[in-house]
Amino acid sequence: MSLYTDYLNEIETRKAQGLNPKPIEDGALTQEIIGQIRDAGNTHKAESLDHFIYNTLPGTTSAAGEKARFLKEIILGEADVQGIPQPFAFELLSHMKGGPSVEVLLDLALGDNPSIAEQAADVLKTQVFLYDADTDRLRAAFEAGNQTAKSILESYAQAEFFTKLPEIEDEIKVVTYVAAEGDISTDLLSPGNQAHSRSDRELHGKCLISHEAQVEIQELQRQHPDKRVMLVAEKGTMGVGSSRMSGVNNVALWTGKQASPYVPFVNIAPIVAGTNGISPIFLTTVGVTGGIGIDLKNWVKKVDSDGNPILNNDGNPILEQTYSVDTGTVLTINTKDKTLCNAAGDEELVDVSSSFSPQKVEFIKAGGSYAIVFGKKLQTLAAETLGIELKSAFAPSREISHEGQGLTAVEKIFNKNAVGVTDGKVLHAGSDARVSVNIVGSQDTTGLMTSQELESMAATVISPIVDGAYQSGCHTASVWDSKAQAIIPKLMSFMNKFGLITARDPKGEYHAMTDVIHKVLNDITVDDWAIIIGGDSHTRMSKGVAFGADSGTVALALATGEATMPIPESVKVTFKGQMADHMDFRDVVHATQAQMLRKFGDNVFQGRIIEVHIGNLLADQAFTFTDWTAEMKAKASICISQDETLIESLEIAKNRIQIMIDKGMDNAAGTLQGLINKANTRIAEIQSGEKPALTPDDNARYFAELVVDLDEIDEPMIADPDVNNADVSKRYTHDTIRPVSYYQGEKKVDLGFVGSCMVHKGDLVIVSQMLKNLEKKNGKVEFKAPLVVAAPTYNIVDELKEEGDWSILQKYSGFEFDDLFPKGAARTEYENILYLERPGCNLCMGNQEKAAKGDTVLATSTRLFQGRVVEDSSEKKGESLLASTPVVVLSAILGRTPKIEEYKSAVEGIDLTKFAPPIEKTAAAKSVHF
């Protein structure tokens, strides 16, 4: 009884933390519990029965296997358990969602006992998570003349698992809770520094917003027991920054509905809202749980008699409130009329049709998008098996086609990868598309949730149509502490068995590779026509089109090889003019955002594809732009590359994949070698002219077009969180882009950070060259603020060592990472030295390393959200400002932002990124980035 004793001890520990018993996933513990249930005189029998019924995780966990087999014994009369009669045993199986439970139900349905077979069939007809092994059994039984199998298939062919579900409510009464003013990042809902607890849903739920907010939400629920709490981003967008399945899970835990009475802490159907709607990738995650996302539009721009926005003294539009959503406001969602109304429901406040498209209504009805995806496949398979015409029970996909209109790059990719499209139909933006996925990425702080999702949907092996998938170790790279040691080996083992290439070998046979996931995905994407799904908002490749996704959508892509989404509209970005010699390409990225906002007023990138024509930069350098598009709130981005540049990028990718193979990272399926073969095929297609690099059609239609003027960029640019802006909604956005001269060389910098996915080899070379430059000018280099440098990949470190730049960095450093002795605890204090940190995300992730509270950090990374890189102190707000590598390095040395003259002097003679619009010739000087 040792495992159960340990479990009881854990229960007591959790009780002291205000937590319930942790849900059981271990089969060995479940076996002990079942043994105690069998033992009539056992003192733990009653509580063991409760744990078995209410606290054992479903799906493909080993615990679920033990539970399903024991329920089978009860149903067959081989075990007599008071408290679980036969009908209840069937009910418990119906809530287990697949895997062992479906196997047991098929055993019973295809067995010799007619009464049991009928009951098992009735349960099976409600299930959708069936895989090939399950449907193969049904097909074989049907072909052998089994009438029960025929009855089940006929039910599937009519999609009764969906059609017999209750319709969604005509009206939903809600009471508002304003979580914050301005954009709400998913860090507020699920902080990055609590990533270690994401797979423990109840524990992780404690980090939603704040304890005070949780109490307020509970008080609203007490006051309004007949209403649902709607979480609101007032004057902002809900869920910016990342998809963050754990954020949606937390919101659902506090405000949603329990998915099953027999599955603890798994809630669904949250309702979230924002003045400016919901961030696109976060909205996808809401759909996974069958939730509702509302675009409130409750603040509008005040206009003059000519219809032009009236600006305040800061040059920003003045906003007028059209209706209030203050905390405690009661509203009515009319799902039939698709409107948001007042409390009585008799006054329309705003049209919310976009929240109730036919597809979204299906997600709500089914309790989440997974059930719809699997249901469609199951209905199609059943009809094919029976040899009857498919009459889909689901809303038809929108197929929008404009005769004579060309295709944007994303439209071309979606048409190439589309599944189940009407023959001969060409799809344009707005069409709903089911597409095959080529590359999938799972990262380490969401990976355990992805593995849980895979278990819950009863998946056991990666889909054969996925070209390659990778499980990273970058988000937990900087500190190998007890939390990481507890979760990462378990994650790597699961994913390795599932079929992914894993950063760490569960058997310890190759060196841990903590390379930043986006960089690895960028390398293993070897087709510019590919679709990539990754468990991080910065899944933005410079080859193909990549979508950041929640852990559940990643799981779905791994299990099925498919994703479903509307084809997004595109914004075309081109360039004119010439870069000044002293400018870095990061400044072009910032300038793109600034010039876009100046031209359009509103963010035309939000929720759309940015098609950037930047084709004479190699994939690594172009990635600096595509990566940033997550902060521009774009749905994704596509880099339009020239043939010769794409070939060179693919050759680089092949070399890096070969390094992974040489390390011993390939699997039995030869996934990595397969990617090299695909790269060779793609190179041959380009060289022969059979299939040149992806380009849009000349007559493609765009939502908007932006020409970025490089001549306007004459000094470095900084993205500033503007933490003290009087308008709360303007704080912590990426839209405040300022020239370095704005700070007049006076803004104190407490820490500099060069790292994250936004840098590559060239940035590290720039660091070394600047240090040599400054020593030559000043006699020595002294840091007035700490400078943390984290290369994104080991390849970069190895190449810098070979070429001599790493020895220069070592010369100036006061700390260098050692993989044989990784840090066991996060650094809490910094000296004014250069730190050479382990490859990975480091400060940008915010879950391990952080700056000191209240610091002003200047970083090359992407995150400036409150509390991410640096938390507030009691005296001062923490600030994370974002800039190019040379600006960050110089600021750490000066202890402040530089004056423009100081900056120009420091970079004199250094080849920063040379970029010219593709119609022009690239500058003759060879950049360090090449």
Side-chain angles (χ1 to χ4, degrees):
M1 204 175 72
S2 60
L3 289 177
Y4 190 70
T5 301
D6 291 344
Y7 186 54
L8 291 179
N9 291 335
E10 182 189 77
I11 288 173
E12 289 304 311
T13 300
R14 289 175 68 86
K15 189 184 293 183
Q17 300 170 331
L19 299 170
N20 289 285
K22 191 173 182 179
I24 298 166
E25 58 182 349
D26 179 54
L29 173 57
T30 309
Q31 283 182 337
E32 282 194 18
I33 287 171
I34 290 171
Q36 292 167 180
I37 293 171
R38 293 182 191 272
D39 181 2
N42 193 287
T43 56
H44 296 290
K45 180 173 181 175
E47 63 191 38
S48 294
L49 190 61
D50 277 347
H51 288 313
F52 179 83
I53 295 171
Y54 298 106
N55 208 38
T56 305
L57 289 177
T60 56
T61 64
S62 57
E66 297 297 332
K67 182 173 183 176
R69 284 187 285 273
F70 187 45
L71 290 171
K72 180 181 179 182
E73 288 185 43
I74 294 171
I75 289 168
L76 292 174
E78 296 168 1
D80 184 14
V81 177
Q82 188 175 2
I84 308 182
Q86 188 187 77
F88 187 41
F90 272 119
E91 182 181 350
L92 290 175
L93 282 171
S94 75
H95 285 259
M96 292 180 65
K97 295 182 71 172
S101 62
V102 166
E103 182 182 354
V104 163
L105 287 166
L106 283 168
D107 290 344
L108 298 171
L110 304 179
D112 299 329
N113 187 312
S115 174
I116 289 176
E118 183 180 357
Q119 293 178 77
D122 286 343
V123 175
L124 273 171
K125 290 173 184 178
T126 68
Q127 304 296 295
V128 293
F129 293 104
L130 277 71
Y131 288 86
D132 289 349
D134 306 315
T135 52
D136 286 349
R137 287 184 69 186
L138 274 176
R139 182 185 293 108
F142 165 71
E143 291 172 351
N146 186 291
Q147 292 303 301
T148 302
K150 180 182 179 183
S151 172
I152 294 168
L153 287 167
E154 287 174 342
S155 176
Y156 289 161
Q158 297 175 48
E160 290 181 340
F161 48 75
F162 175 71
T163 60
K164 290 189 174 182
L165 293 173
E167 298 298 326
I168 70 171
E169 306 153 274
D170 290 349
E171 284 191 347
I172 301 171
K173 294 288 187 180
V174 298
V175 57
T176 62
Y177 182 78
V178 175
E181 283 192 24
D183 288 353
I184 291 182
S185 91
T186 46
D187 261 18
L188 185 71
L189 311 177
S190 168
N193 61 9
Q194 299 299 312
H196 63 278
S197 67
R198 286 176 183 165
S199 59
D200 185 344
R201 293 198 184 204
E202 185 191 16
L203 174 59
H204 194 68
K206 299 286 186 181
C207 70
L208 174 82
I209 309 175
S210 67
H211 174 70
E212 292 75 18
Q214 294 161 20
V215 172
E216 290 166 0
I217 289 170
Q218 288 178 318
E219 179 59 21
L220 284 174
Q221 291 168 330
R222 188 190 65 78
Q223 294 174 5
H224 302 273
D226 58 334
K227 300 176 185 67
R228 311 252 300 273
V229 173
M230 181 170 75
L231 207 66
V232 173
E234 174 75 309
K235 296 184 183 178
T237 302
M238 174 67 77
V240 300
S242 66
S243 47
R244 200 62 64 83
M245 188 78 211
S246 53
V248 173
N249 285 345
N250 279 351
V251 176
L253 186 66
W254 287 98
T255 68
K257 307 174 185 176
Q258 188 173 6
S260 164
Y262 312 115
V263 183
F265 311 117
V266 177
N267 282 18
I268 59 172
I271 302 177
V272 293
T275 292
N276 301 324
I278 316 299
S279 174
I281 53 176
F282 192 66
L283 187 57
T284 300
T285 317
V286 173
V288 167
T289 63
I292 301 171
I294 301 288
D295 188 355
L296 294 170
K297 301 174 186 172
N298 60 313
W299 288 87
V300 297
K301 292 177 182 176
K302 190 173 183 179
V303 296
D304 59 24
S305 57
D306 296 324
N308 299 314
I310 300 173
L311 306 181
N312 61 19
N313 292 336
D314 296 325
N316 296 315
I318 296 173
L319 300 179
E320 291 183 307
Q321 188 181 54
T322 57
Y323 63 95
S324 173
V325 292
D326 290 348
T327 293
T329 302
V330 175
L331 300 170
T332 304
I333 301 172
N334 187 314
T335 66
K336 294 300 179 185
D337 295 339
K338 301 179 182 179
T339 56
L340 182 67
C341 303
N342 61 358
D346 56 8
E347 179 188 345
E348 178 182 334
L349 302 175
V350 67
D351 179 274
V352 291
S353 298
S354 61
S355 302
F356 296 99
S357 67
Q359 287 74 26
K360 289 178 182 177
V361 169
E362 288 178 343
F363 296 166
I364 298 167
K365 177 178 175 178
S369 56
Y370 297 168
I372 299 300
V373 173
F374 277 83
K376 287 179 178 179
K377 295 185 75 169
L378 189 56
Q379 185 185 19
T380 302
L381 183 145
E384 290 173 354
T385 302
L386 293 169
I388 62 176
E389 180 185 356
L390 173 65
K391 296 181 179 178
S392 178
F394 301 96
S397 296
R398 282 180 300 173
E399 294 187 349
I400 297 173
S401 186
H402 304 290
E403 188 174 350
Q405 180 178 308
L407 297 173
T408 64
V410 74
E411 288 169 342
K412 284 190 173 183
I413 292 176
F414 269 67
N415 275 280
K416 185 234 179 206
N417 292 283
V419 177
V421 180
T422 303
D423 287 344
K425 194 84 167 183
V426 175
L427 304 180
H428 285 96
S431 300
D432 295 316
R434 217 174 105 216
V435 290
S436 297
V437 173
N438 305 94
I439 300 292
V440 184
S442 170
Q443 54 102 327
D444 37 328
T445 54
T446 62
L448 274 178
M449 294 178 61
T450 297
S451 65
Q452 284 182 334
E453 298 289 345
L454 288 168
E455 287 178 329
S456 72
M457 64 177 72
T460 57
V461 65
I462 192 170
S463 168
I465 67 174
V466 173
D467 292 336
Y470 178 70
Q471 171 61 59
S472 81
C474 57
H475 288 66
T476 53
S478 54
V479 180
W480 190 237
D481 57 11
S482 58
K483 294 171 183 175
Q485 293 173 39
I487 64 174
I488 298 304
K490 175 182 175 182
L491 170 63
M492 296 295 166
S493 177
F494 180 95
M495 291 301 191
N496 193 279
K497 291 175 184 175
F498 199 83
L500 282 75
I501 302 299
T502 51
R504 290 178 177 273
D505 181 10
K507 300 174 184 175
E509 293 177 2
Y510 58 77
H511 185 274
M513 188 170 81
T514 56
D515 295 354
V516 175
I517 180 172
H518 326 306
K519 293 294 191 182
V520 177
L521 293 181
N522 206 38
D523 287 338
I524 68 173
T525 299
V526 292
D527 186 356
D528 49 326
W529 291 74
I531 291 179
I532 305 99
I533 297 291
D536 192 289
S537 60
H538 283 266
T539 305
R540 308 288 172 122
M541 304 303 101
S542 51
K543 301 186 290 287
V545 63
F547 298 95
D550 59 275
S551 54
T553 301
V554 170
L556 200 62
L558 289 171
T560 67
E562 292 184 7
T564 303
M565 67 185 86
I567 302 178
E569 296 175 303
S570 294
V571 176
K572 184 177 182 179
V573 175
T574 56
F575 302 85
K576 69 177 183 178
Q578 184 174 350
M579 279 186 71
D581 289 342
H582 62 278
M583 301 309 299
D584 185 82
F585 185 65
R586 177 69 179 256
D587 299 310
V588 175
V589 177
H590 287 314
T592 299
Q593 189 161 356
Q595 291 186 25
M596 177 273 293
L597 290 170
R598 188 180 67 207
K599 177 178 179 179
F600 296 104
D602 294 322
N603 184 356
V604 297
F605 293 152
Q606 183 164 342
R608 300 184 177 93
I609 303 292
I610 300 178
E611 184 185 283
V612 57
H613 291 246
I614 201 166
N616 56 18
L617 284 182
L618 294 173
D620 278 1
Q621 296 89 59
F623 186 76
T624 302
F625 189 101
T626 57
D627 197 36
W628 181 259
T629 61
E631 312 318 328
M632 298 181 190
K633 301 181 185 177
K635 179 78 173 175
S637 57
I638 292 181
C639 174
I640 304 302
S641 187
Q642 296 172 335
D643 285 354
E644 61 273 18
T645 308
L646 178 57
I647 289 172
E648 190 174 351
S649 293
L650 290 174
E651 292 289 356
I652 292 170
K654 283 170 52 184
N655 292 336
R656 290 175 180 168
I657 295 170
Q658 187 61 53
I659 289 171
M660 296 171 74
I661 293 174
D662 294 342
K663 282 188 173 189
M665 297 177 70
D666 212 351
N667 54 22
T671 295
L672 293 176
Q673 184 58 51
L675 291 171
I676 289 180
N677 297 342
K678 289 178 187 297
N680 286 330
T681 299
R682 184 69 188 108
I683 290 170
E685 289 175 340
I686 299 168
Q687 290 175 330
S688 69
E690 175 188 349
K691 190 177 180 182
L694 171 68
T695 56
D697 291 331
D698 291 338
N699 58 338
R701 183 176 179 182
Y702 296 90
F703 177 83
E705 296 190 33
L706 173 68
V707 180
V708 178
D709 190 348
L710 301 176
D711 291 333
E712 289 188 13
I713 312 170
D714 59 357
E715 60 176 303
M717 314 283 280
I718 293 177
D720 193 323
D722 207 8
V723 298
N724 295 309
N725 193 310
D727 183 348
V728 176
S729 69
K730 300 294 183 184
R731 300 177 190 172
Y732 305 105
T733 77
H734 288 77
D735 293 343
T736 303
I737 309 290
R738 291 169 170 157
V740 73
S741 59
Y742 172 88
Y743 304 96
Q744 300 181 322
E746 297 175 353
K747 188 168 184 65
K748 185 175 183 292
V749 172
D750 299 300
L751 184 144
F753 173 51
V754 174
S756 89
C757 49
M758 287 292 284
V759 301
H760 50 88
K761 178 184 172 183
D763 291 278
L764 278 294
V765 174
I766 288 173
V767 176
S768 68
Q769 291 191 354
M770 285 189 69
L771 293 173
K772 286 192 298 183
N773 247 17
L774 291 165
E775 182 178 45
K776 186 176 180 180
K777 290 177 185 291
N778 303 325
K780 61 179 179 178
V781 174
E782 290 184 348
F783 291 92
K784 294 185 179 178
L787 178 62
V788 177
V789 174
T793 68
Y794 281 95
N795 283 342
I796 288 173
V797 175
D798 292 341
E799 290 172 18
L800 292 173
K801 286 179 178 178
E802 185 178 333
E803 296 165 12
D805 287 288
W806 191 258
S807 62
I808 296 170
L809 296 175
Q810 286 176 313
K811 172 185 174 181
Y812 294 102
S813 71
F815 171 87
E816 182 179 0
F817 76 92
D818 184 347
D819 272 333
L820 295 177
F821 302 99
K823 284 184 296 184
R827 184 178 285 111
T828 56
E829 296 181 355
Y830 296 83
E831 299 176 50
N832 290 342
I833 58 173
L834 169 62
Y835 293 85
L836 292 178
E837 291 287 1
R838 196 180 197 187
C841 301
N842 204 273
L843 283 159
C844 187
M845 179 55 196
N847 64 317
Q848 293 189 320
E849 297 286 73
K850 273 193 184 298
K853 291 182 178 180
D855 270 2
T856 293
V857 179
L858 197 61
T860 60
S861 63
T862 59
R863 298 311 201 194
L864 49 67
F865 307 130
Q866 186 173 19
R868 180 63 175 256
V869 173
V870 55
E871 295 176 351
D872 297 341
S873 71
S874 56
E875 297 83 26
K876 182 179 177 292
K877 289 181 178 293
E879 299 177 274
S880 175
L881 292 85
L882 310 177
S884 67
T885 292
V887 171
V888 172
V889 173
L890 185 56
S891 297
I893 290 170
L894 297 173
R896 57 172 171 79
T897 52
K899 297 176 181 178
I900 186 63
E901 296 79 13
E902 293 171 320
Y903 170 82
K904 287 182 177 180
S905 175
V907 299
E908 186 177 354
I910 297 177
D911 276 335
L912 303 175
T913 314
K914 289 296 180 289
F915 166 70
I919 58 171
E920 301 175 14
K921 295 292 185 184
T922 307
K926 194 170 181 65
S927 166
V928 296
H929 292 257
F930 284 83

